[in-house]
Amino acid sequence: MKTKIKELYLKNHHEKTYEHVKNVSETSKILALKFNLDPKKCEIAALLHDISVIVQKEKMLQYAKDLKLSIYEAEKRYPFLLHQRLSAIITKNYFKIEDQDILNAINYHT
């Protein structure tokens, strides 16, 4: 799974974002142990929390509309705010992750 995640970031020319999520995943594993959480779930959520970067910022709003999401006024003005919800959807649909702990962590990370 980690290889597939990395490949998706790199294939879409998001090397810096991949480095960011990789660093977040290392920190999340440490925090998971400190707070008695599942380190594997935290690692996966951290690696995927910004996966919607593969959608161009200019297309995020249209993508959300195509998915029939309810869109808040702030998201209309600043479509990048959609990235957390879109990341959760990509995680579920592309990576076939159904775990609600992981999806919620991604969906609400901002």
Side-chain angles (χ1 to χ4, degrees), residues 91-108:
T91 296
K92 184 174 184 175
N93 294 342
Y94 184 81
F95 292 96
K96 306 299 183 208
I97 293 175
E98 298 286 336
D99 188 293
Q100 284 303 305
D101 291 336
I102 293 172
L103 295 174
N104 285 337
I106 295 168
N107 195 44
Y108 300 110

Side-chain angles (χ1 to χ4, degrees), residues 78-100:
Y78 305 102
F80 188 71
L81 293 174
L82 290 161
H83 88 279
Q84 64 193 25
R85 294 197 289 150
L86 295 178
S87 289
I89 290 167
I90 292 168
T91 296
K92 184 174 184 175
N93 294 342
Y94 184 81
F95 292 96
K96 306 299 183 208
I97 293 175
E98 298 286 336
D99 188 293
Q100 284 303 305

Side-chain angles (χ1 to χ4, degrees), residues 52-69:
S52 66
V53 73
I54 66 171
V55 178
Q56 295 174 343
K57 288 179 189 174
E58 311 80 53
K59 296 183 179 181
M60 282 188 171
L61 185 58
Q62 187 57 52
Y63 184 45
K65 288 178 181 177
D66 292 346
L67 292 169
K68 298 185 180 7
L69 296 181

Side-chain angles (χ1 to χ4, degrees), residues 9 17 20-22 24-25 43-53 83-88 91 105-107 109:
Y9 281 110
T17 305
H20 161 68
V21 300
K22 191 171 74 166
V24 172
S25 76
E43 177 184 30
I44 295 300
L47 288 171
L48 290 167
H49 82 274
D50 282 341
I51 197 65
S52 66
V53 73
H83 88 279
Q84 64 193 25
R85 294 197 289 150
L86 295 178
S87 289
T91 296
I106 295 168
N107 195 44
H109 80 267

